[in-house]
Amino acid sequence: WTAPMAAQIGGRVAFMIVSSGGPISVRDQERHARMLRITNANEETRALAASVLDVYFQYLASGGAERVEQVSANWTRYNQEPWYAAIRVGTGDPTAAPWPAWRVQFADDIRMDARALYERTDVPTLFLFGASDELFPAVQAIETVRAMGVTKRDWSVQVFDGANHNFYVPRPGEPMRLAPSYFDTIREWMATRVPVASERH
C-alpha cells in the first residue's frame, strides 16, 4: 500500500516491484489471513466466523458508530469458541472500553481504498505473487490487477508455483528454497526499463 502512495509524490518513482501485494484492501487481506486460521473447521463454522468478522470490520470502519450491539452480542455469545480466538476479534468486548491506539490505526487502515491508490498510479509495475501465499489473497489480487489494466498500463504479473508469501517453496524433508527464477524475473524486467549505470554517465 505504501508503494503507490510514494509513486504519486513528485514524480520521483520510476517503477515499482510489488511482491505479495497489490490493489487489495487491508480489510480483504486481514479477512483472508484470519479465515485461514480456521481452515479445519466445518463449513457452517467458517460461515459463522466470516459473518462475525465482517460485522467487526464494519464496526471498525464506522469508527465505532455502527454494529455496536451486534459486535458486543457476538463477543458475549462466542468468545469461548476456539474459532473466535483464532480470528482475533479481541480478548474482551471490543465495545466496552475506549479503543487502544492500535485499534484506531487499524480502523483507519481498513477504510483505505487500495484499488484507488493503484488507479492513480501510472508507473511501470511488476507484480509478483506466490501461488500458495498463506497470508495474502493472491488469486483475488491477480484477478484485480489484470482487470484494472495490464493491457492499459505497463503492468506485468508473475506467479510462482508452490511459493509462499515470502516466495519460498516448501519441500518435504528438505530446506525451503527461494522460488526458481525469482531474482531472474526481477532482473530481466528491470533490464528493459532501467538504464544501467554506464549508460547514465
Side-chain angles (χ1 to χ4, degrees):
W1 301 295
T2 307
M5 294 179 187
Q8 294 166 36
I9 300 175
R12 297 181 179 181
V13 174
F15 65 92
M16 299 191 302
I17 297 175
V18 182
S19 295
S20 300
I24 296 296
S25 68
V26 175
R27 181 193 296 226
D28 285 347
Q29 187 203 346
E30 280 291 316
R31 189 181 194 279
H32 173 82
R34 296 186 192 201
M35 289 301 296
L36 282 179
R37 295 165 64 91
I38 55 169
T39 52
N40 294 329
N42 60 41
E43 287 301 314
E44 183 179 357
T45 298
R46 285 181 53 79
L48 176 59
S51 175
V52 168
L53 195 54
D54 287 341
V55 167
Y56 175 60
F57 284 164
Q58 290 169 25
Y59 165 74
L60 293 181
S62 72
E66 300 175 6
R67 300 301 189 106
V68 180
E69 292 182 1
Q70 193 169 357
V71 168
S72 182
N74 284 341
W75 182 83
T76 300
R77 185 173 183 180
Y78 302 120
N79 74 86
Q80 297 300 314
E81 299 288 344
W83 60 262
Y84 189 91
I87 62 173
R88 296 185 296 144
V89 171
T91 55
D93 183 345
T95 71
W99 288 5
W102 66 263
R103 185 174 290 155
V104 174
Q105 180 61 60
F106 181 59
D108 188 54
D109 288 343
I110 66 172
R111 286 190 288 268
M112 180 179 60
D113 187 345
R115 181 168 180 142
L117 285 176
Y118 281 89
E119 287 281 12
R120 296 192 296 268
T121 304
D122 193 22
V123 298
T125 304
L126 172 62
F127 293 92
L128 305 173
F129 298 103
S132 299
D133 194 322
E134 73 283 17
L135 298 176
F136 191 78
V139 172
Q140 181 184 352
I142 293 165
E143 292 175 350
T144 303
V145 167
R146 287 175 173 160
M148 285 180 65
V150 170
T151 58
K152 301 175 185 176
R153 302 175 174 89
D154 185 6
W155 283 4
S156 303
V157 176
Q158 179 66 46
V159 182
F160 297 90
D161 291 339
N164 63 18
H165 187 71
N166 295 316
F167 296 94
Y168 282 88
V169 180
R171 299 169 182 266
E174 298 181 22
M176 289 196 298
R177 296 181 181 179
L178 197 67
S181 77
Y182 175 76
F183 286 117
D184 287 340
T185 297
I186 294 174
R187 184 165 50 247
E188 291 168 6
W189 183 86
M190 288 182 64
T192 65
R193 292 163 177 84
V194 184
V196 296
S198 60
E199 294 176 346
R200 295 200 299 266
H201 298 286

